[in-house]
Amino acid sequence: MAIEKNVYREAAKIYDIIYEKNQPMPDIPFYRDYAKLQCGENGEKGEILELGCGTGRVTLALAKEGFHIAGLDLSQQMLNVFSEKLDVEVAKEQGLAERVEIIHGNMANFSIGRKFALIIAPFRAFQSVTAREDIENVFFCVREHLTDDGIFIVNVFNPYANPLDSSWCRAEEFIGETVDEQTDIRIARYECREKIDTVNQIIYPYLAYNMTYPDGHVERLVEPLQMKYYYSPQLRAEVKKSGLVVIEEFSWYDKSPPGGNEIILLCKR
C-alpha cells in the first residue's frame, strides 16, 4: 500500500507543541493586515478562506480578531486537533463558534458555494500539491471562490540554489528538541532529505519524532512528505496561466522585497 504523504496522520497530536508553542511563526500580523484591508476592521465586508489550515493556527487567530473564516484541510487528524482547540476557545469567547467553519477537503477540489474576499494558503501549504492537474485545479478553485476584488495570498519557500540538485539530499539528522510542559514528554526532532526529483521539481523529505515519556519508554513517529518547489518566475507563470494576476511579491512577512527566504505572492482576478 502506498504511503500517504503530507497528511500529518502521525504527528497531528504533537504539531502544535512543536510548531506553535515553541516555534511560533511571525505571519499572523501579516494576514491580519490583509484581512482588515479586504474584510473590514471587524469582518463586515467579507469572509476569509484558509487552504491547508491544519490545526487552526492562523484560522483561530483571525477568528479571534472578529473575522469570519473557513479553514479547509485534507488531514482529518489535523482537523480533529483543530476542533478540540476550537471547543476550548469557544468556551472562553462568546460568538467565536459562529465565526469559524472547519472543512475536511482537498484544496485541489473544493466547492463551498460562496465567495471570499480573502483566500490564503499560509506557510508553504500550497507546496503539498505536486501533481500537474491538481496544481491547476487549486488555482481554478481559488478563482471560482474569489470575489471580484478578492485577494489570494500564496506562500512557498524560495530554493537556496538555482537549480536545486542532488546535493539537497542528506541522511537523517537531529534538528532540535522540545519538552511539552504539560506532559513532560521530551520530543527529539529529526529530518531526512530522502530524494529529489529535479525534472518535476519535487522534494521528498520525512520528519521523525522520538518521544521520550516520563516513564522512560520511547515512541517514534514518522511523517513522509513531498513538496513541489518553485522559483519566483515559475510561480508567477502559474498564477498568470490561471487567469489571476500578481499584484505584489514579498520575501517575508515584514513585506521585505523579493529575494529572501520565502516567495509570497498577492494575486487578484
Side-chain angles (χ1 to χ4, degrees), residues 91-110:
K92 300 176 184 177
E93 183 176 340
Q94 186 176 8
L96 182 62
E98 289 72 33
R99 297 197 296 273
V100 178
E101 180 181 2
I102 298 176
I103 303 171
H104 182 217
N106 187 337
M107 73 172 75
N109 181 22
F110 65 91

Side-chain angles (χ1 to χ4, degrees), residues 101-238:
E101 180 181 2
I102 298 176
I103 303 171
H104 182 217
N106 187 337
M107 73 172 75
N109 181 22
F110 65 91
S111 179
I112 299 175
R114 63 186 188 277
K115 295 183 182 292
F116 297 85
L118 178 64
I119 300 178
I120 59 177
F123 198 59
R124 306 174 179 178
F126 174 67
Q127 292 181 264
S128 65
V129 181
T130 57
R132 176 75 258 154
E133 181 180 1
D134 288 343
I135 293 167
E136 294 173 355
N137 286 341
V138 171
F139 284 107
F140 173 81
C141 290
V142 166
R143 267 187 58 85
E144 290 296 297
H145 287 80
L146 267 182
T147 59
D148 290 342
D149 59 351
I151 287 179
F152 174 45
I153 305 178
V154 59
N155 169 208
V156 302
F157 71 75
N158 192 14
Y160 63 82
N162 188 354
L164 282 185
D165 56 27
S166 59
S167 64
W168 174 86
C169 299
R170 67 186 183 204
E172 181 176 300
E173 64 179 18
F174 174 75
I175 57 173
E177 187 172 80
T178 300
V179 177
D180 182 8
E181 296 178 357
Q182 293 185 344
T183 64
D184 286 331
I185 297 173
R186 188 175 301 274
I187 306 170
R189 296 176 284 117
Y190 300 83
E191 179 189 62
C192 176
R193 299 179 178 181
E194 287 191 285
K195 64 179 180 178
I196 181 171
D197 176 350
T198 57
V199 174
N200 296 299
Q201 293 187 194
I202 302 173
I203 54 174
Y204 296 86
Y206 71 73
L207 301 175
Y209 308 92
N210 287 353
M211 302 172 59
T212 303
Y213 290 80
D215 64 4
H217 87 273
V218 178
E219 177 185 9
R220 180 175 168 87
L221 306 177
V222 178
E223 284 293 349
L225 305 175
Q226 60 183 19
M227 299 178 71
K228 174 86 171 174
Y229 61 91
Y230 299 86
Y231 303 98
S232 178
Q234 293 175 327
L235 189 57
R236 282 175 163 269
E238 294 287 355

Side-chain angles (χ1 to χ4, degrees), residues 47-50 58-60 62-63 67-71 99-102 114 116 120:
E47 296 182 61
I48 306 167
L49 171 63
E50 180 184 357
V58 177
T59 299
L60 275 176
L62 294 180
F67 300 103
H68 291 262
I69 181 166
R99 297 197 296 273
V100 178
E101 180 181 2
I102 298 176
R114 63 186 188 277
F116 297 85
I120 59 177

